[in-house]
Amino acid sequence: MRNTPSTVQGPCRMKVKVWGNHEAMSRAAAGCIAREVGRRPRLLVCLATGSTPIRTYELLGCRARQAPALFKQVRVLKLDEWAGLPLNDPGSSEAYLQQRVIRPWGVSQRALVGFVSDPKQPKLECQRIQNWLARHGPIDLCVLGLGSNGHLGFNEPGRMLCPVAHRALLSPQTRAHAMVSHTAVKPDYGLTLGMAEILQARQILLLVSGAHKRRALKRLLRGEISTQFPASLLCLHPRTTLLCDREAAMQGPAHMT
Ligand code: GLP
């Protein structure tokens, strides 16, 4: 396994590190998150769900077993949630974070903040998260995955993007995501942090893995900023690191240093 990454040069200002495989990428991501927690024990970390960061979170669970105090003071903000899916549904972001982060890392239940999935008044629920973030933010470290259509959280491609926490209409591609493959009725909406809240994070880690992300990653690395490809806004952020695996990058030696 390769244990030093290649660096891709591109017009985008983010640092891009290409690891040999998903395992190596996950180890690098886990190392980076653990380092930040070590520096700032009360870190406010905003976490994406999905398949890409699973191994990263698992590796951090292993670290927590060896050092049970590591995540004791950390605060976790849920990036997004499927609207209409009960919080205890195995496909919800809530269930995902409980199972893969909160319990294994030993984070206190009170330290998890996020949208409820079935608010009677979604606007008020989004306002609640906006207010919480205005009071307790900004996010110290935001861990993101890349949607294959360029979405971040549930900020879907469109003519306009909403800067703050909001209810978003999901694209057919997002409704086909593996997290909700078991549900008979697919959620039409998601609740998500907005792009301004994400971009205000002190540091961002974007994880991209697998051949199915190649097209999206290639587009991102072109460095053209468009609301039709929300992840491209990360090019405006001063401290974003993109960690990907070779499968996703599929770059020849000429592109690497
Ligand atoms: C989902 C989630 C995002 C996640 C993204 C990528 O729609 N809402 O938070 O980052 O898609 O998921 P995956 O890592 O499974 O490709």
Side-chain angles (χ1 to χ4, degrees):
M1 192 200 302
R2 129 196 263 157
N3 49 18
T4 50
S6 306
T7 305
V8 173
Q9 301 287 324
C12 210
R13 66 196 292 196
M14 31 175 139
K15 253 191 227 156
V16 182
K17 295 191 174 176
V18 185
W19 292 89
N21 55 31
H22 183 260
E23 178 67 17
M25 180 200 78
S26 305
R27 287 187 181 274
C32 171
I33 298 167
R35 235 180 353 264
E36 290 307 313
V37 176
R39 278 192 199 129
R40 207 191 275 249
R42 269 184 56 73
L43 198 79
L44 173 57
V45 64
C46 173
L47 299 180
T49 56
S51 61
T52 311
I54 287 180
R55 180 67 179 144
T56 300
Y57 298 158
E58 193 175 72
L59 288 165
L60 289 167
C62 298
R63 288 190 187 226
R65 275 202 298 280
Q66 286 153 9
L70 185 61
F71 296 102
K72 275 284 171 280
Q73 298 179 57
V74 161
R75 298 161 298 153
V76 175
L77 177 63
K78 188 163 64 159
L79 172 68
D80 56 20
E81 187 56 272
W82 304 94
L85 209 62
L87 280 184
N88 62 3
D89 185 288
S92 71
S93 299
E94 179 78 18
Y96 177 110
L97 289 179
Q98 288 289 349
Q99 185 199 335
R100 302 180 193 281
V101 172
I102 304 303
R103 288 197 289 270
W105 295 11
V107 173
S108 111
Q109 285 296 331
R110 277 178 324 198
L112 171 63
V113 175
F115 303 99
V116 298
S117 55
D118 50 359
K120 288 205 176 65
Q121 295 180 284
K123 269 201 173 151
L124 286 184
E125 177 60 0
C126 293
Q127 187 71 58
R128 180 180 74 85
I129 297 297
Q130 288 170 31
N131 294 345
W132 188 89
L133 202 45
R135 184 146 178 238
H136 300 277
I139 295 161
D140 292 310
L141 175 63
C142 188
V143 180
L144 299 171
L146 176 65
S148 34
N149 62 356
H151 76 224
L152 289 180
F154 286 131
N155 292 281
E156 296 277 30
R159 206 166 49 79
M160 290 185 308
L161 291 172
C162 178
V164 291
H166 62 284
R167 188 175 80 130
L169 182 64
L170 300 178
S171 67
Q173 222 169 327
T174 302
R175 294 176 81 233
H177 193 277
M179 282 176 81
V180 288
S181 59
H182 64 290
T183 59
V185 183
K186 307 289 172 220
D188 290 321
Y189 291 92
L191 299 159
T192 183
L193 293 192
M195 286 307 303
E197 292 159 334
I198 292 173
L199 291 171
Q200 275 156 20
R202 292 196 165 95
Q203 192 181 346
I204 296 176
L205 211 51
L206 175 65
L207 305 182
V208 187
S209 168
H212 62 300
K213 296 289 173 75
R214 253 177 223 165
R215 272 175 68 129
L217 181 55
K218 202 171 165 199
R219 181 165 176 189
L220 177 62
L221 293 176
R222 281 211 304 263
E224 294 166 10
I225 297 164
S226 165
T227 59
Q228 298 294 348
F229 196 78
S232 66
L233 271 79
L234 294 179
C235 293
L236 299 169
H237 188 267
R239 243 186 118 199
T240 291
T241 304
L242 189 164
L243 300 180
C244 65
D245 58 17
R246 207 163 23 204
E247 282 244 300
M250 216 194 62
Q251 300 279 346
H255 295 91
M256 309 215 182
T257 59

